[in-house]
Amino acid sequence: MSSIAAKSVKSIVPLFDRVLIQRIKANQKTSSGIFLPEKSMEKLSEGTVIAVGQGAINKDGKLVVPGVKSGDRVVLPQYGGNNIKIGDDEYTLFRDHELMAIINE
């Protein structure tokens, strides 16, 4: 995981078709009130879109705009992406086409 010396996540602007995602964290406590150690918690396959690049140029020279926008909840692939850390928070950069689905509520 690379650590970024940015003051806030707002200063990170993804390029091309990249999307900055913050994974939703698993509950640290069971329903009966027992706290789980961090190592035993699995990464959830769900996250919130923080920032989106402008898009990438396809082979025909046309701009392909990403299919997600800031604030969308998305389903993430099990592997992939580039992890970055800003302060105490962790984020992942994915390409738009790697995202699995948008979660509509």
Side-chain angles (χ1 to χ4, degrees):
M1 176 175 311
S2 39
S3 186
I4 306 285
K7 293 183 180 183
S8 76
V9 72
K10 301 268 186 210
S11 62
I12 303 296
V13 179
L15 298 176
F16 304 112
D17 63 341
R18 289 181 179 86
V19 180
L20 184 65
I21 304 284
Q22 184 172 31
R23 285 186 187 266
I24 293 177
K25 296 181 181 177
N27 288 334
Q28 296 179 351
K29 189 167 62 168
T30 64
S31 59
S32 60
I34 299 172
F35 285 95
L36 300 171
E38 211 171 294
K39 288 185 178 181
S40 70
M41 295 187 306
E42 64 182 56
K43 280 189 176 179
L44 295 179
S45 299
E46 186 179 325
T48 303
V49 176
I50 303 299
V52 180
Q54 293 180 354
I57 304 294
N58 67 11
K59 62 183 176 182
D60 298 328
K62 295 185 180 184
L63 181 67
V64 179
V65 179
V68 295
K69 61 185 180 312
S70 292
D72 283 348
R73 286 184 45 213
V74 293
V75 177
L76 304 171
Q78 186 174 6
Y79 300 104
N82 295 318
N83 297 322
I84 59 173
K85 187 171 185 174
I86 302 171
D88 292 335
D89 295 323
E90 295 178 11
Y91 301 90
T92 308
L93 275 169
F94 286 97
R95 291 198 177 268
D96 179 56
H97 70 271
E98 294 176 327
L99 300 176
M100 312 278 293
I102 295 174
I103 301 170
N104 292 324
E105 294 184 55

